[in-house]
Amino acid sequence: QVQLVESGGGLVQAGGSLRLSCAASGRRFSIAAMAWYRQAPGKQREWVANITSSGTTNYADSVKGRFTISRDNAKNTVYLQMNSLKPEDTAVYYCNLNYRLGVGRYNYWGQGTQVTVSS
C-alpha cells in the first residue's frame, strides 16, 4: 500500500511562488510515474504536470514556463515549484503516483493541499 502526503500549500499573492511537496511511502517510488493535478471550485480535476521514472517531464499549457516538477528518489518525494502564480492557479492540488508491475497497474492519490492566489 502506498500513502501520499502533500504539503506546501497556502495563501500567496499573484506573482508569488510556492513549492509543493509530496512524500510517498512504500518501495515502488523509483519505478513510478508521478503527477500533480488540481481541482478548482466547481471545476473538474485537471492534470498539471507529470514526471516519469526516468525523469522526463510534461506540463499543461496553462503552467508551462511557470511550474517545474521534479523528484528525489532518495527521499521518495516529488515537488512542484510554482512561480509567477496567478489567481486562476487557485485550486486544491493533488499528488498522483502510478506504476505497472507485471500485469498489474497501480494508481494512488494524496489528500490534496490548498493553494490560494490572491489578486
Side-chain angles (χ1 to χ4, degrees):
Q1 186 70 8
V2 171
Q3 290 188 325
L4 302 173
V5 179
E6 299 107 331
S7 61
L11 174 64
V12 64
Q13 288 189 332
S17 298
L18 284 174
R19 189 175 83 151
L20 306 183
S21 299
C22 173
S25 65
R27 302 179 297 164
R28 305 301 182 189
F29 184 84
S30 63
I31 67 169
M34 302 296 300
W36 288 95
Y37 288 74
R38 66 186 182 186
Q39 187 167 18
K43 295 188 177 181
Q44 290 189 331
R45 189 173 297 190
E46 64 174 0
W47 167 74
V48 174
N50 69 273
I51 183 167
T52 67
S53 58
S54 60
T56 300
T57 58
N58 295 282
Y59 298 92
D61 287 343
S62 58
V63 306
K64 200 172 294 183
R66 300 187 298 121
F67 290 11
T68 302
I69 188 171
S70 61
R71 64 190 296 160
D72 185 337
N73 288 345
K75 296 182 178 180
N76 276 19
T77 300
V78 64
Y79 305 97
L80 186 68
Q81 178 66 44
M82 304 186 295
N83 299 329
S84 302
L85 282 161
K86 305 175 181 180
E88 51 264 43
D89 294 319
T90 295
V92 177
Y93 283 71
Y94 296 92
C95 175
N96 173 266
L97 179 154
N98 63 88
Y99 65 93
R100 300 179 71 172
L101 190 63
V103 298
R105 302 188 69 169
Y106 301 87
N107 192 47
Y108 300 93
W109 293 91
Q111 82 288 350
T113 186
Q114 176 71 46
V115 171
T116 303
V117 185
S118 63
S119 57

